Structure formats: structure tokens, C-alpha cells
Amino acid sequence: MDAIEHVALSPLFAKLGRLAQLNESDLRLLGNLPFATRRVGAGQFLVREGKPTGDCAILLSGFACRHKLAANGGRQIVSFHLAGDLLDLQQLLLDRADHNVETITEAEVALVPKAELRRLARESPRIGAAFWRDTLIDASIFREWVLNVGRRDARTRVAHMLCEFATRCERAGFGSVQSFQMPMTQEQIADATGLTSVHVNRMLRSLETDGALSRSRREIRIRDWEAMRRIADFDPAYLHAA
Amino acid sequence: MDAIEHVALSPLFAKLGRLAQLNESDLRLLGNLPFATRRVGAGQFLVREGKPTGDCAILLSGFACRHKLAANGGRQIVSFHLAGDLLDLQQLLLDRADHNVETITEAEVALVPKAELRRLARESPRIGAAFWRDTLIDASIFREWVLNVGRRDARTRVAHMLCEFATRCERAGFGSVQSFQMPMTQEQIADATGLTSVHVNRMLRSLETDGALSRSRREIRIRDWEAMRRIADFDPAYLHAA
DNA sequence: CGACAACTTGACGGGCGTCAACCGGAGTGG
DNA sequence: CCACTCCGGTTGACGCCCGTCAAGTTGTCG
């Protein structure tokens, strides 16, 4: 494998490096991973509920979300994803998708055959552990989201979602917690927090008039991070330094 | 290891058998697993948020739940557990608990050192895959709960929770989907569905007066499962036959 | 039989959904 | 270069679902 392909997968390497200590041979195995890259527009489905699972997609640039639909027509976003995220590691062991994965911006993905990832996890216990660890952290984030939509009021919910997104962006190397770009619409924030877009708008305005944050277009600025943390009831421990 | 200990762990064996095809040598490895059993009363903590993770607990009898607390005093239950469940597989790879695990009835647990479980997963790829698969199914259930509390109305939410619990009980060999025992109080149902116990009571009554179910003490009877499924917006696919 | 937890029911209020109108910026085509 | 369109955002009026408060009732275990 030449350097060009290494460069393409570098967001993944960065992420795995945060999950585990990888050695020379791990990096070589990763470098040999066969994959195809694809550029897709915003609003494209990468995984569809009920469909047999296919190749595993890795997000190289852009943003995506996972969501499920209720019979009453409601949509619930259950997670957001950014560059470096393995979009469906769970496909390695479960044979039908129980949710959708959809891009929310234009994005670039790498498609890796499931069998290759399984082989990789088997051949390097460190990489296998990193994969498992990643799915465990995902699960921890889902638990926090259950708490968020189940037991916090609208204002706290929206603030919490912002704090989590800001923290993950900073750790992945996009902007800082004090200033970052939101890729999602207010309707998508609503679907992630179990609210309506109208009420999300009210809550954002409330946070803004209270001086907790300022907005210009989709850029969010947070002057006093500690104050924001308190408003949002946000403790990043559940992210397990992801 | 003698037969007595095999009997003690049999709920775990049954569960792993549902998750993967285990062979002779897998069963022998499981039989050699060192563990200590403990009997605990209702309302006892087995895992505490923020604490370093200790031994891994396996539920041998009784029921337990995982929950998290919000700053406003609210409690959110994020999952229920029954005999055979590995209560904290995630402790194998994450070093601090991000939630609590608490018994909701008197229960019997087996405590297994983390290192032994890690060794087991390493020595038998099938058992390792079963463990990983179990945590992936947990994650799938969390996603469904985010949808449940985020996008369904109170009546549907309560009905969905009952359907899930009924299905899991039946698969684990307790009662049937048509008739089963609820171990939890209405307040615990409320904490699981993001409601108040008062409103859970109203919804249960509503389901009962509509003939969807009948109750006597904590026993639930569901005559028409298909009708109940529709009311609850329940599709068991997300349980991945767990 | 007294104590206590769980359950039950009613009255009332508020947080958030619904509906509707309008604004503003980006893309598009004449 | 300007009009048109369209999506996302913004704001107000109104109403309902579910929370809150409070008072019983039931069942269970000393």
C-alpha cells in the first residue's frame, strides 16, 4: 500500500490511536486494509434499517447521523458522527441493520469489506480491542442520550447536545470547545433531542439572550465553558476520552 | 470444576448458547471460570457511577437495572436485566463506570475477575465474539430506548416497555409473552420511560380498560399479542434474538 | 393491628407541541 | 443582474399532554 491510501484513511488512524496504543505491525496491517472511497452528497443513506448489512463504512470527511423512525412518523436521531468514525462496526456481528445511517453534509467514506475487518480484529488483539472499545463508548453515549431525552428539560437537553458535540469536535481536531461549526439544522437538533424545531429555536435564543453562547450562521461561540457545562448538566466522563 | 458450579452458572451458559454456537472446549473453558456467588437484597448497588470498575457481575437469579442521575434529581433507568445477563461487560475495557447497576429484587450474582473474562475471550474466539455480540445487542436496545423516550407518547412508551420485557422474559424461559410477572414498581417503569409514576398508572389503566391487557398484582396478561404489538409500536428486530 | 410502601385517583397548571405567518440567504434561470 | 424559489430559521397565539400536588386505598410484613 502506498502513501496516498494511508493519507485517505488518516482520520481512522487518528481515531484508533486515541482508542489504543498501536504498534508498528498494527499500523502495517491497517495500511494493508483494502477499501474503496466514495464521495456522497448530503442526505444520502449509508445504512438502511431492515436491510442485510453490507460493507462497513468509515467516515473520512463530513458529518453523518444514525436515526430510527416511529410509527407515528417521528424520527429520532440516536447519534452524530464525524470524520474518523466507524459508522457500523456492529454490522460485523449482527446481520440486519436496526437503524439508518444518513449523511448530514457532503461526505467522503471508505468502504471496507466486513470480512477484512473481522480478520484485522482477529490478527491484532490490540486493534480488536480498539474496535470493541469503540462500540462500548458508543453504547455509553446512547445511555447518556436516554437520560438526556428522558429526564432533562428542553433547555438543558439542547445545551447538553451542544456540549457533547463541541467536545467531540475538539478532540477530533475540528475547532475548539469555545468556537466550532454546527453542521446540523435545527430540525436535526430537534430530532436528536426529542423536541420540535420550533422549540429548539426558542431554547437556542434563550441560551443566547442569557449570554451562554452566541451564534452567527452555524458558528457557535461559548465564552464561559464552565458556566455552559453547568447549564447543560454536562460531565464528559461518559465519553471515555473518545 | 464440579457439577455444582456448573449448575450455578447455568443461566449464563443458556444465554451464551443463544448468542453463539459453543463447542466442547468452549464449555470446558467456561466450566473452569473461577467465580464467587453472592446473594443480595433488593435495592443494592452492584456498580456505582464514577467508581473504578471491579469484578464483573453476572446475574444468576432475580432482576436488576442500570440507571443514571440528572442534576435536577431525576433518575433514568437505561436497561433492565434478568438471570443470565452479564451486568458489566463494558468494565472489561473501560476503567470507570458511567452508570449505576442496582438490583430491583432479591438476587444472586456471580462475581468473576475481569482478567479471567478477558483471558476467556482471548482463548476462545467464539466466546469473545459472543461477549462482543452481547454488548452490541445492548447498544441496539439503548438506541430503541432513545427512540422510545424521545418520540413516542406516554401510552405507547409504556406498552413498548412491557412488550420488550415480555419478549425477553419468554426467551430467557420465564413465563410467556401472554402472561408474565413484572418485578418492577410503577415508579421504576416511570424512570425507564421518562414519565412520572402517576402517569404510568394512568397509562396502565388506560391499556387495561381498552382490553389490551389485564393485571392482577404484578402479573400481566396479554390476550391479543398482535394488537398489543401495534399499540406499542413494537418490532422485536432490534433485540436481534437476544 | 399498626406502619409503611406501592398503588390509585382527581384537580390544576405549565412546558412544549401545533399552527401559521414571515424573514433571509443561497441557488437558479431568464 | 435581478426575480423567483426554496429551505432553514424566527416569532407569536393557542392548546394539550403530562407533571405536580394532594388525598385516599390497598396490600404486606412486623
Side-chain angles (χ1 to χ4, degrees):
Chain A
M1 285 295 136
D2 61 7
I4 290 172
E5 278 159 327
H6 275 92
V7 170
L9 286 186
S10 62
L12 173 66
F13 290 10
K15 165 132 192 179
L16 290 178
R18 275 175 270 139
L19 287 167
Q21 284 283 353
L22 303 182
N23 64 21
E24 280 292 316
S25 94
D26 296 331
L27 293 174
R28 198 163 41 246
L29 284 169
L30 280 169
N32 285 329
L33 205 58
F35 65 92
T37 61
R38 234 176 76 205
R39 174 164 288 280
V40 297
Q44 301 301 304
F45 282 75
L46 301 174
V47 176
R48 251 186 215 277
E49 184 169 355
K51 289 277 173 66
T53 57
D55 287 352
C56 184
I58 297 165
L59 199 56
L60 300 178
S61 70
F63 295 88
C65 69
R66 293 198 240 200
H67 61 85
K68 305 188 67 150
L69 302 173
N72 60 21
R75 181 175 82 149
Q76 179 68 44
I77 291 176
V78 298
S79 62
F80 288 114
H81 294 283
L82 31 79
D85 283 358
L86 291 138
L87 289 184
D88 256 298
L89 227 33
Q90 69 147 13
Q91 308 189 143
L92 297 190
L93 292 174
L94 303 179
D95 49 3
R96 275 189 187 275
D98 52 64
H99 60 266
N100 306 291
V101 176
E102 187 179 352
T103 54
I104 60 181
T105 64
E106 189 177 66
E108 215 172 353
V109 297
L111 298 173
V112 185
K114 287 196 281 186
E116 290 295 331
L117 282 177
R118 274 199 287 256
R119 192 174 52 76
L120 188 58
R122 208 166 47 239
E123 289 181 359
S124 163
R126 271 174 307 282
I127 294 177
F131 284 172
W132 191 4
R133 212 174 118 83
D134 186 52
T135 62
L136 290 174
I137 293 172
D138 265 11
S140 173
I141 297 176
F142 294 142
R143 285 191 290 271
E144 184 70 23
W145 281 43
V146 176
L147 172 62
N148 204 38
V149 298
R151 282 291 183 237
R152 295 196 180 108
D153 64 22
R155 197 177 128 100
T156 313
R157 249 186 256 188
V158 172
H160 191 279
M161 199 236 111
L162 292 179
C163 282
E164 178 183 305
F165 190 76
T167 303
R168 292 182 61 203
C169 278
E170 180 172 287
R171 287 182 187 169
F174 310 121
S176 77
V177 118
Q178 275 82 24
S179 168
F180 58 97
Q181 287 287 331
M182 296 286 294
M184 61 283 274
T185 65
Q186 291 180 8
E187 185 164 7
Q188 287 161 341
I189 298 176
D191 285 345
T193 50
L195 300 168
T196 58
S197 60
V198 172
H199 205 61
V200 166
N201 185 285
R202 292 195 272 247
M203 296 302 99
L204 285 173
R205 186 158 51 88
S206 151
L207 289 167
E208 192 166 20
T209 58
D210 290 1
L213 55 81
S214 63
R215 298 176 291 158
S216 59
R217 299 237 348 87
R218 296 263 182 90
E219 179 168 352
I220 305 281
R221 281 176 194 282
I222 296 171
R223 292 103 193 274
D224 185 346
W225 177 251
E226 271 310 306
M228 184 66 177
R229 260 187 13 84
R230 274 192 304 278
I231 291 170
D233 188 15
F234 178 74
D235 173 354
Y238 74 94
L239 292 172
H240 296 279
Chain B
M1 286 293 138
D2 59 9
I4 290 172
E5 278 160 325
H6 275 93
V7 170
L9 286 186
S10 63
L12 173 66
F13 291 10
K15 164 131 190 175
L16 290 178
R18 274 175 270 137
L19 287 166
Q21 283 284 353
L22 302 181
N23 63 21
E24 281 292 316
S25 95
D26 297 331
L27 293 174
R28 198 164 43 246
L29 283 169
L30 280 169
N32 285 329
L33 205 58
F35 66 92
T37 61
R38 234 177 75 205
R39 172 164 288 281
V40 298
Q44 300 301 303
F45 281 76
L46 300 175
V47 175
R48 252 187 214 275
E49 183 170 357
K51 289 278 174 63
T53 56
D55 287 351
C56 184
I58 297 165
L59 199 55
L60 300 178
S61 70
F63 295 88
C65 69
R66 295 197 238 198
H67 61 84
K68 307 189 67 151
L69 301 173
N72 60 19
R75 181 175 82 148
Q76 179 68 45
I77 292 177
V78 298
S79 61
F80 288 114
H81 293 283
L82 32 79
D85 283 358
L86 290 138
L87 289 184
D88 255 298
L89 226 34
Q90 69 145 13
Q91 308 190 85
L92 297 189
L93 291 173
L94 302 178
D95 49 2
R96 276 189 186 276
D98 53 62
H99 60 265
N100 305 292
V101 176
E102 187 178 350
T103 54
I104 59 181
T105 63
E106 192 178 64
E108 215 173 353
V109 297
L111 296 173
V112 185
K114 287 195 281 185
E116 291 295 331
L117 282 177
R118 273 199 287 256
R119 193 174 52 77
L120 187 58
R122 207 167 46 239
E123 289 181 0
S124 162
R126 270 173 307 280
I127 294 177
F131 284 172
W132 192 2
R133 213 175 117 83
D134 186 52
T135 61
L136 290 175
I137 292 171
D138 266 12
S140 174
I141 298 175
F142 295 143
R143 284 191 292 271
E144 184 70 24
W145 281 43
V146 175
L147 172 62
N148 205 37
V149 297
R151 283 291 182 236
R152 294 196 180 109
D153 63 21
R155 196 177 129 101
T156 313
R157 248 186 258 188
V158 172
H160 190 278
M161 199 237 110
L162 291 180
C163 282
E164 178 183 307
F165 190 76
T167 303
R168 291 181 62 203
C169 279
E170 179 172 286
R171 287 183 185 168
F174 309 122
S176 77
V177 118
Q178 275 82 24
S179 169
F180 59 97
Q181 287 287 331
M182 294 286 296
M184 61 284 275
T185 66
Q186 291 181 7
E187 186 163 7
Q188 287 160 340
I189 297 176
D191 284 345
T193 49
L195 300 167
T196 58
S197 60
V198 172
H199 206 61
V200 165
N201 186 286
R202 292 195 273 246
M203 296 301 100
L204 286 174
R205 185 158 52 87
S206 151
L207 289 168
E208 192 165 21
T209 57
D210 290 1
L213 54 81
S214 63
R215 298 177 293 157
S216 59
R217 298 235 350 84
R218 295 264 182 93
E219 180 169 352
I220 305 282
R221 281 176 194 282
I222 296 171
R223 292 103 193 274
D224 186 347
W225 177 251
E226 271 310 306
M228 183 67 175
R229 259 186 15 84
R230 273 193 304 277
I231 291 171
D233 189 15
F234 178 73
D235 173 354
Y238 74 94
L239 292 172
H240 295 280

